[in-house]
Amino acid sequence: MDGSVVAPGAEWVDDVLLCGPDEQVCLRLPEVIDRAKLRRLVRDRQIELAQSGMRPGGAAALRLPPSLAFVTHLLAVWRSGGQAILLDHRLTDYEVRRAIERLVPQVVVSPDRPVQAGLRTFVDVDASIASYSGHPASTTHAVVQLSSGSTGPSKVIGRTAEDLVEEVMRYTRIDGVPVKNERLILLPSMVHVLGLVGGLLYGLHAGVELIPPARLTGDAIIQAIAAETTPATVLGVPFHIGLLASVQQPPWLPQFKRMTTGGELVPKAVSDAFEQKYGVPLGNMYGMTEVGVIGTDLYGRHRPAIQPAPGIDVRTVDGELQIARKESPYLGLSDPSRWSDGWLRTRDAGVVDDETGLVSIKGRLDSQVSVGGLKVDLTEVEYTLGTLNGVEAAVVVYDGSITAYLQLKERRETARLEAELSQRLASYKRPRTLYVLDQLPRTTTGKLVRDLTVLRKAVS
């Protein structure tokens, strides 16, 4: 088979992602990549993959940073009828080796040289392809990802081509997403679901220009917005709000349409401060690696509630949010504690309003603890800490007692923080221990880590 030919069953890549006028711009890196060039590069990558042992029905592990190499190899794997295993390039060699031993790809695609660390959203790298095995993929999923691991070990998650296309089409029905001939300033990694589907795949389908800033700084994000006159939406996570908030006197940006954040819901105080500074809506998006986008509030009308995305069915059982899914998204043995009878358990506490259908997320189910027989919601404690002067971020866990980990904007005495907190929380809710760190641990998607082992290590 000619490696540049689309494999049977993989026509969705051409029909949904690569179709469109040759001259239409897909990416500005700042090199302009139009559809004609992107299609040519994808065909070239297909040939290289085939020469290295990639076959229809096989799997390719992509250990690439967000880059043109990542985009073209991903599309080439799918167009070849293969499965793409996405491995964040920041994973350790040990983590990558364990993933490869379990998933057994036919080829492994890595950068041809070490990737320099730095505040970059997109990297200029060339790829090296290594043959690994002759085995076909163990499942028919189009993409295999690892969950973010914010509360424990990562899970292996698979999604079919049908599921990916369904989510891309779901985005087209959400009011407030960028549309054809608009721009998307893309900050999340394309290796993870928000940047992958909400950014790359939706942008390719909808004719939206994808623009990763030159550097991951507030000034660089503003430069990317100001570079063109067409409307621009910034897609990021709460960490990126802080970058924009750090810009002291941003210029007038009439083309700045809105910012949309995923990952964690943004407190109202943060959203109000952002909207006051930039004069644009700060929209929330709630989702999971297993599902993609679940609900949105892109105009900030329902904060902190969200509207379920089109085609998403949400219910609550014993206070837990559950999402309708035809099959389990997890590879390996079925885990009925996470998926059963067509419903995926999110492990998030929430409420669905019977009249409006709006969903209010109340935090993780494991955030409910008992202190002296009294119930304490750690989410409330965490939120209250975040309202104290000088607190940039907070993580609250139960480690035999309530323990808080803080990241401060400026140096403050712990005693002063505890005194202020005593005015806002009952004594049984207050942390017994406060740890102040220079940087709180975060996952590769920017989420705050709540795993006790990681947090303990950070203060040791």
Side-chain angles (χ1 to χ4, degrees):
M1 167 186 167
D2 184 343
S4 67
V5 175
V6 61
E11 296 86 358
W12 66 277
V13 180
D14 286 354
D15 295 343
V16 177
L17 304 178
L18 292 177
C19 64
D22 285 352
E23 67 279 4
Q24 188 175 59
V25 175
C26 300
L27 298 129
R28 292 185 185 270
L29 304 176
E31 177 190 5
V32 175
I33 307 295
D34 60 23
R35 289 195 180 274
K37 183 169 186 177
L38 182 59
R39 286 190 283 253
R40 184 170 65 253
L41 291 172
V42 171
R43 289 193 294 268
D44 291 344
R45 299 296 87 77
Q46 279 188 263
I47 294 172
E48 294 167 1
L49 287 166
Q51 291 172 344
S52 299
M54 178 76 192
R55 297 292 179 267
L62 304 184
R63 190 190 184 185
L64 293 168
S67 56
L68 186 59
F70 172 82
V71 172
T72 54
H73 280 90
L74 174 66
L75 297 176
V77 169
W78 285 342
R79 200 169 185 269
S80 301
Q83 178 185 93
I85 301 168
L86 306 188
L87 303 176
D88 194 293
H89 74 286
R90 293 165 291 193
L91 297 176
T92 65
D93 289 340
Y94 173 78
E95 289 171 308
V96 170
R97 185 166 60 252
R98 288 191 62 187
I100 289 175
E101 288 172 351
R102 177 175 180 180
L103 299 170
V104 197
Q106 289 184 334
V107 299
V108 178
V109 186
S110 306
D112 65 347
R113 63 182 184 278
V115 177
Q116 293 184 347
L119 294 175
R120 295 190 176 275
T121 58
F122 217 73
V123 183
D124 183 15
V125 297
D126 292 321
S128 173
I129 307 175
S131 300
Y132 187 79
S133 78
H135 299 293
S138 59
T139 71
T140 58
H141 296 101
V143 65
V144 172
Q145 295 172 274
L146 303 179
S147 67
S148 62
S150 59
T151 58
S154 297
K155 301 176 290 295
V156 181
I157 296 163
R159 297 184 66 185
T160 64
E162 178 185 13
D163 194 34
L164 292 174
V165 172
E166 185 176 316
E167 187 184 358
V168 169
M169 297 308 172
R170 182 171 297 128
Y171 271 97
T172 67
R173 298 163 57 195
I174 296 174
D175 184 22
V177 298
V179 296
K180 185 177 180 180
N181 297 326
E182 293 187 353
R183 295 175 296 144
L184 184 63
I185 313 303
L186 186 60
L187 306 181
S189 172
M190 293 179 181
V191 177
H192 303 286
V193 65
L194 180 61
L196 175 66
V197 186
L200 177 62
L201 303 190
Y202 169 72
L204 289 176
H205 172 74
V208 175
E209 290 187 17
L210 299 172
I211 305 172
R215 292 182 62 79
L216 193 55
T217 65
D219 288 335
I221 297 169
I222 286 177
Q223 289 172 8
I225 297 170
E228 305 289 335
T229 59
T230 50
T233 295
V234 176
L235 181 64
V237 296
F239 168 73
H240 300 128
I241 302 174
L243 296 179
L244 283 170
S246 69
V247 180
Q248 294 300 315
Q249 293 182 323
W252 182 53
L253 298 167
Q255 61 275 72
F256 193 2
K257 185 176 179 181
R258 80 166 35 79
M259 181 170 184
T260 300
T261 65
E264 298 168 328
L265 292 179
V266 179
K268 188 177 187 304
V270 175
S271 61
D272 288 347
F274 176 87
E275 291 172 358
Q276 183 177 6
K277 191 165 196 174
Y278 286 96
V280 301
L282 179 59
N284 279 331
M285 184 177 293
Y286 168 62
M288 300 173 63
T289 303
E290 292 89 331
V291 179
V293 61
I294 294 171
T296 62
D297 180 34
L298 300 190
Y299 290 90
R301 294 169 178 162
H302 310 298
R303 192 175 289 114
I306 57 170
Q307 182 74 49
I312 292 289
D313 292 328
V314 183
R315 73 178 186 183
T316 57
V317 177
D318 297 328
E320 180 185 22
L321 292 175
Q322 298 188 359
I323 313 298
R325 303 297 287 170
K326 291 183 292 186
E327 57 186 24
S328 173
Y330 303 111
L331 274 63
L333 296 176
S334 177
D335 182 357
S337 71
R338 294 307 306 267
W339 178 92
S340 63
D341 299 326
W343 290 92
L344 176 69
R345 297 182 59 179
T346 65
R347 301 279 174 90
D348 286 329
V351 175
V352 179
D353 188 289
D354 292 334
E355 294 185 4
T356 65
L358 295 176
V359 178
S360 296
I361 301 159
K362 303 297 185 180
R364 300 290 297 176
L365 282 177
D366 52 16
S367 70
Q368 306 284 332
V369 300
S370 178
V371 177
L374 299 172
K375 293 293 183 182
V376 179
D377 186 345
L378 299 182
T379 305
E380 177 193 2
V381 182
E382 195 169 285
Y383 173 83
T384 305
L385 279 165
T387 66
L388 301 182
N389 290 332
V391 175
E392 186 170 354
V395 169
V396 178
V397 296
Y398 190 76
D399 191 6
S401 63
I402 299 176
T403 304
Y405 298 81
L406 304 179
Q407 179 178 320
L408 303 180
K409 301 175 186 176
E410 56 195 36
R411 183 181 295 276
R412 297 202 64 197
E413 295 294 330
T414 301
R416 292 289 302 276
L417 291 170
E418 290 174 334
E420 290 181 18
L421 194 60
S422 69
Q423 302 298 314
R424 307 189 187 195
L425 282 178
S427 59
Y428 71 91
K429 295 181 181 180
R430 296 199 294 269
R432 295 287 298 273
T433 308
L434 288 178
Y435 293 108
V436 177
L437 304 178
D438 292 335
Q439 292 286 334
L440 287 174
R442 291 180 180 269
T443 69
T444 54
T445 61
K447 291 182 179 180
L448 292 167
V449 171
R450 292 176 169 80
D451 184 87
L452 282 173
T453 302
V454 176
L455 291 169
R456 290 170 184 158
K457 186 177 180 181
V459 298
S460 60

